[in-house]
Amino acid sequence: MDHEADAYRTDLMTITRYVLNEQSRNPEARGDLTILLSHIVLGCKFVASAVNKAGLAKLIGLAGETNVQASAHWHISAIFLLCEIEIRSSVEYCVCFDPLDGSSNIDCGVSIGTIFGIYMIKDKENVTLEDVLQPGKSMVAAGYCMYGSSCTLVLSTGNGVNGFTLDPSLGEFILTHPDIKIPKKGKIYSVNEGNAKNWDEPTAKFVEKCKFPKDGSSPKSLRYIGSMVADVHRTLLYGGVFLYPADKKSPNGKLRYTYAYSQHLTLLMKLCVLYEVFPMSFLMEQAGGQSFTGKERALDLVPTKIHERSPIFLGSYEDVEEIKGLYAAQAK
Ligand code: FBP
């Protein structure tokens, strides 16, 4: 890699250029999704700066967690209001987002993130909650932005997964991880083992096999940050499996798979529902992995209400296949 030459490269693939190229692939496209994505990107840049400032401010004892959460909510909402003004005419899409996932990690400077999923509105004349209570497989795009040692935005518009890193000197997200493919099998498992005593049998058996494999293979390493965006990002790049299973304490797991915003449903914003399962499952499948609930493919779930939660097992194809086998054996 000739860093010298690279420093002056001008044919950089920015996320804006990438999204415009994607738009040009589809002759019917009118550009609404491109506009929406560019607003989401701007929102993430705002949050990235807010998180950095808060991290610094926290260090020097000026600002607290709530400020970041509040500003993240504010910035992202502001962006969507802008978006509302921008594309009122089209009313094509509704966006579900978790402005700041892993919020419990803000104070210790651990990576956190914004997660989003985009659906087509079924009937523009009559936009209802049903427009977001759609199965995950109906999403047209999904992504997350991770605020960590670097700020990385991972996006899929249904044609593979690409990662873009924010170059602060340009204020632009540059393509750094083209066409991400998760390894078929991984050496890492990621779970909060503190809940082990409440796990169901298939989950306990799978984690036991990770630690004490009987087939002569080496044990998997445990990696758990406790911030889904960071744990899923590592899983996507290195392989392995991230799981937040159901347990006796939380029979539906902890992570949520529905939250929404559309120009016509502003009331929802006030509810501040988190959203994690659907976009991450969409990205995982687009990268060649799998996402399973313990009963079914996560993207086949049909939410019945906002705030819905679901157990989740996502990651490398063969690792999730193993978990599915354990649940199938239990069901026999
Ligand atoms: P928040 O959205 O409230 O931050 O909760 C979500 C989350 O932090 C995920 O990012 C993470 O995977 C999970 O909760 C960690 O939960 P636990 O602390 O129970 O392991």
Side-chain angles (χ1 to χ4, degrees):
M1 171 85 76
D2 175 351
H3 294 300
E4 184 64 26
D6 265 3
Y8 301 99
R9 278 186 57 195
T10 53
D11 64 338
L12 294 172
M13 178 53 79
T14 64
I15 195 166
T16 316
R17 203 172 140 202
Y18 170 80
V19 171
L20 283 169
N21 286 353
E22 285 297 293
Q23 180 189 321
S24 61
R25 286 159 171 273
N26 153 2
E28 292 91 56
R30 298 167 352 133
D32 298 320
L33 183 59
T34 304
I35 293 170
L36 188 53
L37 287 170
S38 62
H39 283 295
I40 292 173
V41 167
L42 183 57
C44 292
K45 288 179 186 172
F46 266 117
V47 178
S49 69
V51 166
N52 287 347
K53 287 198 200 93
L56 179 62
K58 184 74 191 169
L59 282 174
I60 56 183
L62 277 181
E65 173 184 337
T66 46
N67 290 4
V68 177
Q69 271 186 323
S71 66
H73 265 295
W74 189 87
H75 280 129
I76 294 255
S77 335
I79 292 304
F80 282 110
L81 288 171
L82 266 177
C83 159
E84 178 165 349
I85 297 159
E86 187 80 37
I87 61 172
R88 178 171 281 286
S89 59
S90 70
V91 205
E92 296 279 343
Y93 300 98
C94 53
V95 185
C96 315
F97 69 101
D98 175 355
L100 214 54
D101 174 71
S103 47
S104 50
N105 283 312
I106 289 177
D107 281 359
C108 56
V110 163
S111 302
I112 51 180
T114 296
I115 310 175
F116 60 91
I118 300 174
Y119 290 96
M120 291 286 286
I121 285 185
K122 294 179 193 156
D123 168 3
K124 284 188 277 189
E125 309 317 318
N126 176 27
V127 180
T128 69
L129 202 51
E130 299 315 308
D131 286 300
V132 284
L133 297 182
Q134 300 185 49
K137 60 188 170 205
S138 308
M139 273 189 287
V140 294
Y144 60 79
C145 188
M146 184 177 73
Y147 313 108
S149 52
S150 63
C151 177
T152 306
L153 200 155
V154 172
L155 173 70
S156 177
T157 53
N159 175 29
V161 180
N162 291 277
F164 303 82
T165 303
L166 184 61
D167 177 337
S169 66
L170 295 175
E172 264 294 358
F173 281 100
I174 309 295
L175 180 63
T176 47
H177 301 76
D179 197 21
I180 298 172
K181 287 282 176 261
I182 184 171
K184 278 268 164 281
K185 193 168 179 54
K187 297 188 177 67
I188 294 172
Y189 72 102
S190 181
V191 64
N192 180 346
E193 292 222 31
N195 298 328
K197 73 176 175 38
N198 297 317
W199 284 343
D200 59 17
E201 195 198 321
T203 301
K205 270 198 179 150
F206 175 72
V207 172
E208 185 70 14
K209 282 178 88 171
C210 291
K211 291 190 216 180
F212 311 103
K214 296 199 176 53
D215 59 0
S217 63
S218 4
K220 288 184 189 299
S221 303
L222 171 63
R223 294 282 182 278
Y224 190 70
I225 298 166
S227 172
M228 186 184 192
V229 168
D231 282 314
V232 169
H233 187 64
R234 183 204 54 249
T235 304
L236 205 53
L237 298 186
Y238 296 171
V241 61
F242 167 83
L243 47 158
Y244 207 106
D247 60 40
K248 297 189 191 75
K249 197 164 41 83
S250 37
N252 290 324
K254 171 182 181 177
L255 303 176
R256 283 155 265 208
Y257 62 95
T258 159
Y259 173 68
Y261 174 66
S262 158
Q263 294 94 329
H264 298 266
L265 301 168
T266 36
L267 57 77
L268 283 173
M269 293 286 283
K270 300 181 183 61
L271 299 177
C272 288
V273 178
L274 289 180
Y275 170 119
E276 288 127 341
V277 172
F278 275 167
M280 295 308 202
S281 302
F282 185 90
L283 291 166
M284 206 45 81
E285 287 200 4
Q286 283 285 320
Q290 284 198 72
S291 182
F292 176 60
T293 66
K295 293 195 184 78
E296 62 186 305
R297 173 191 176 218
L299 291 178
D300 290 341
L301 279 169
V302 182
T304 55
K305 62 179 190 315
I306 301 282
H307 290 296
E308 200 130 316
R309 300 169 188 259
S310 168
I312 190 72
F313 304 84
L314 53 77
S316 295
Y317 198 90
E318 289 169 22
D319 291 316
V320 178
E321 205 54 27
E322 206 179 313
I323 295 170
K324 288 164 75 173
L326 291 166
Y327 275 94
Q330 184 202 40
K332 280 206 186 95

